[in-house]
Amino acid sequence: DNAGVWITLVIEISDNKRESLPEECRRVFKKSRFEQKKYEEIAEELNISVNTVKYHIKNALAYINSHLSDYLKIILAYIFMGN
């Protein structure tokens, strides 16, 4: 099914972009999103401030979203055109 192909593509792009983040930003993002850790826990583990954790999360999300937005527009257009 075509929707499954598009979803798989978006997941692959997201994974690739996440892996291309700077190392500390990627570590913070993974701990937050995949290990479900709170900002305070991440800050303590990595010996950084909570504000630095927030900064990295904000940057990671902005970076990934900026690279996905064009693909999502194409996917939505494709879906709404009935293909």
Side-chain angles (χ1 to χ4, degrees):
D1 122 13
N2 287 333
V5 171
W6 287 109
I7 291 169
T8 300
L9 176 64
V10 168
I11 291 170
E12 284 181 30
I13 294 165
S14 177
D15 288 347
N16 288 339
K17 293 304 170 187
R18 185 183 65 242
E19 291 304 316
S20 67
L21 290 167
E23 184 179 343
E24 185 174 56
C25 186
R26 184 175 60 247
R27 276 190 289 156
V28 169
F29 187 77
K30 284 182 176 182
K31 286 182 179 295
S32 171
R33 296 306 191 259
F34 298 105
E35 297 176 24
Q36 305 294 310
K37 294 191 176 184
K38 296 180 181 181
Y39 289 0
E40 294 80 9
E41 293 175 298
I42 298 167
E44 187 175 320
E45 279 184 34
L46 299 178
N47 198 29
I48 58 177
S49 72
V50 172
N51 282 338
T52 301
V53 171
K54 291 177 183 178
Y55 172 81
H56 285 307
I57 296 296
K58 177 184 70 82
N59 286 344
L61 290 172
Y63 178 76
I64 292 168
N65 288 337
S66 72
H67 286 86
L68 284 179
S69 66
D70 291 336
Y71 292 100
L72 292 176
K73 290 174 192 171
I74 294 167
I75 292 167
L76 289 174
Y78 181 83
I79 290 170
F80 286 116
M81 294 174 107
N83 293 316

